[in-house]
Amino acid sequence: MALVLSGGGARGAYEIGVLSALLPALPQEEQPNLVIGTSVGALNAAYIAAHAHDGLDATLRDGKRIWEEIDWGQILTAPWSASQFERLGRYLLGVAGVRGMRVPSVLDSAPLESTVKELIPDFDQIERNIPEKLAAAAVVATSALTSRSVVFHHGGEPEQPRDPKRGIDYVRVALKDQHVRASAAIPVAFPPVHVDPNPGRGWVLRRRHPAQHADQASAAARRPAGDRHRPQLNRPGAGRGRRRGGARRLRGATQLIQAVTQ
């Protein structure tokens, strides 16, 4: 069973609230063993994966408490602060073409890095929880260079590391805070996050619809890992032929349902 968590800011609190009521009511055989999320859903997915050893009830109870206590300053520099007004002015001047004024985003998300590390102090626990507590965990982002979706996953092995029809690359990694922050990096609003110093990789931004990626991840979690082939995320033209729109998302969601009901 796959747990797919979407983005949407405050929706992250709703997700944990709903899950805290829904998941404990499910029989053990129907409990999710794969978690995948994007944007704030990536933060929730990583939190659940990192605390899976504590038990579902305790993890969701603590998650609710965190969402009740979190405030704006733990995510962004206050928009009414002098530094943020200066940043906005520099951004607008940069867009207008004034040299030396460009900044990477409208908002300053620097506080988010320390907050993610505080909420999930031991990302290595995700690796220890797989496959003991979960079959796989994943977060979804987007390559800024190619506009292709990138699924950073731990556990499982997709049949295709590259999905040319839907413009998706699957990259097996040990999930860290930068993967979560990359998934949450809203274009224009948040600065992009570089997740690999290798020049062959690129900056990544968030992806809004993780459901279209969960089908392969769910199937992969049921297979032993085999030979791994890293996709070339930034190959010129890699994003060509990408299918967009509601039809593609519907197809992905349908495949997800098929995958989890097999």
Side-chain angles (χ1 to χ4, degrees), residues 7-224:
R11 188 178 296 173
Y14 308 151
E15 289 175 347
I16 291 296
V18 170
L19 292 176
S20 67
L22 176 63
L23 295 188
L26 294 177
Q28 185 60 38
E29 62 273 14
E30 295 181 13
Q31 294 290 335
N33 66 347
L34 184 156
V35 292
I36 180 171
T38 190
S39 193
V40 71
L43 176 59
N44 282 338
Y47 179 83
I48 291 171
H51 293 83
H53 61 288
D54 293 330
L56 194 59
D57 287 347
T59 298
L60 294 175
R61 183 174 61 251
D62 290 345
K64 283 180 61 178
R65 176 185 55 77
I66 290 170
W67 273 109
E68 289 170 353
E69 296 175 355
I70 202 165
D71 60 35
W72 180 282
Q74 293 174 269
I75 308 299
L76 300 169
T77 298
W80 51 84
S81 66
S83 61
Q84 182 56 55
F85 276 114
E86 179 186 358
R87 184 184 183 92
L88 176 60
R90 288 175 61 87
Y91 183 86
L92 294 175
L93 290 172
V95 170
V98 178
R99 298 182 62 181
M101 289 293 172
R102 184 172 295 276
V103 292
S105 64
V106 174
L107 300 175
D108 178 11
S109 62
L112 180 61
E113 181 173 359
S114 58
T115 298
V116 171
K117 291 179 179 179
E118 179 182 348
L119 298 180
I120 310 174
D122 187 8
F123 269 86
D124 291 340
Q125 186 64 49
I126 296 178
E127 186 173 1
R128 294 191 290 271
N129 285 341
I130 296 172
E132 185 68 25
K133 300 297 183 181
L134 293 172
V139 301
V140 186
T142 301
S143 169
L145 181 60
T146 66
S147 294
R148 291 175 62 87
S149 297
V150 184
V151 180
F152 295 107
H153 67 96
H154 187 90
E157 191 69 17
E159 291 182 2
Q160 307 175 71
R162 291 177 61 83
D163 185 336
K165 291 185 178 180
R166 291 183 290 161
I168 305 170
D169 294 313
Y170 293 85
V171 182
R172 186 181 177 90
V173 297
L175 291 175
K176 302 295 182 183
D177 68 284
Q178 61 263 37
H179 300 109
V180 173
R181 290 185 292 108
S183 181
I186 304 171
V188 179
F190 287 13
V193 178
H194 200 276
V195 300
D196 194 326
N198 186 327
R201 301 292 177 84
W203 298 90
V204 290
L205 305 177
R206 75 176 174 113
R207 180 71 182 177
R208 289 180 176 159
H209 300 281
Q212 69 191 77
H213 315 300
D215 54 331
Q216 279 206 29
S218 181
R222 297 193 294 269
R223 292 198 308 275

